[in-house]
Amino acid sequence: EPEVTQTPSHQVTQMGQEVILRCVPISNHLYFYWYRQILGQKVEFLVSFYNNEISEKSEIFDDQFSVERPDGSNFTLKIRSTKLEDSAMYFCASSERQGVDSPLHFGNGTRLTVT
Amino acid sequence: LAKTTQPISMDSYEGQEVNITCSHNNIATNDYITWYQQFPSQGPRFIIQGYKTKVTNEVASLFIPADRKSSTLSLPRVSLSDTAVYYCLVGPGNTPLVFGKGTRLSVIA
């Protein structure tokens, strides 16, 4: 079964540094998402992306965050200047289309630790 | 989006059938009910989805009464590997998924 893959699995960075989290969505999927989960808390929506632009974003997704699909396969999340509170699991997801009959497929996440 | 309420946790012995009920009193006409499963250190995984009555797949069954104000996820004969957090989500499918706290299922040998 095709999978969403994320790299790296664990990233440690110092406060104020920029990080880029990478994702390879399932190849025929058109909608892409980033979610995050702070340890012990809920899975939170960050942003959705379709047709090379952001479709929706949450309040969490402020100016420090950006997303990009630099080529036909990768989907990236950049945090410009990391803060301690950005420490979390970041999950990428993709879906074939938008709608109830097209469930999201999640990757196994990147654990970001900001020190 | 419709608010959902699930038990925080449940315990079950191996081989038992587990039923997890989700309340969604203000479900809208065009909302569907979707369940995801999350193992530790993994992303959520789609299990099953339904609109009304009963849906069954190779993993689970979903029972939805006529008023659609609740739904029950049924896992037949659970094993230790079914220990996970189970999320009930309600929405029309054209908005981002909103996860609640889910139900932490612990399967005991």
Side-chain angles (χ1 to χ4, degrees), chain B residues 1-3 8 21 31 51 56-58 65 86 93 97 101 103:
Chain B
L1 289 173
K3 180 175 160 48
I8 293 173
T21 296
D31 285 345
Y51 184 81
T56 297
N57 62 21
E58 64 277 6
Y86 292 82
L97 295 179
K101 294 184 179 178
T103 297

Side-chain angles (χ1 to χ4, degrees), chain A residues 23-67:
Chain A
C23 169
V24 178
I26 295 173
S27 62
N28 65 330
H29 286 189
L30 301 177
Y31 291 82
F32 314 113
Y33 311 83
W34 283 100
Y35 284 77
R36 80 170 186 191
Q37 186 173 32
I38 295 171
L39 186 64
Q41 298 189 25
K42 296 188 283 189
V43 177
E44 300 174 292
F45 168 73
L46 293 179
V47 65
S48 59
F49 190 86
Y50 169 71
N51 201 24
N52 281 320
E53 59 183 34
I54 290 173
S55 310
E56 282 191 68
K57 59 182 181 178
S58 71
E59 291 177 353
I60 303 168
F61 194 88
D62 61 21
D63 292 344
Q64 291 300 311
F65 292 88
S66 62
V67 289

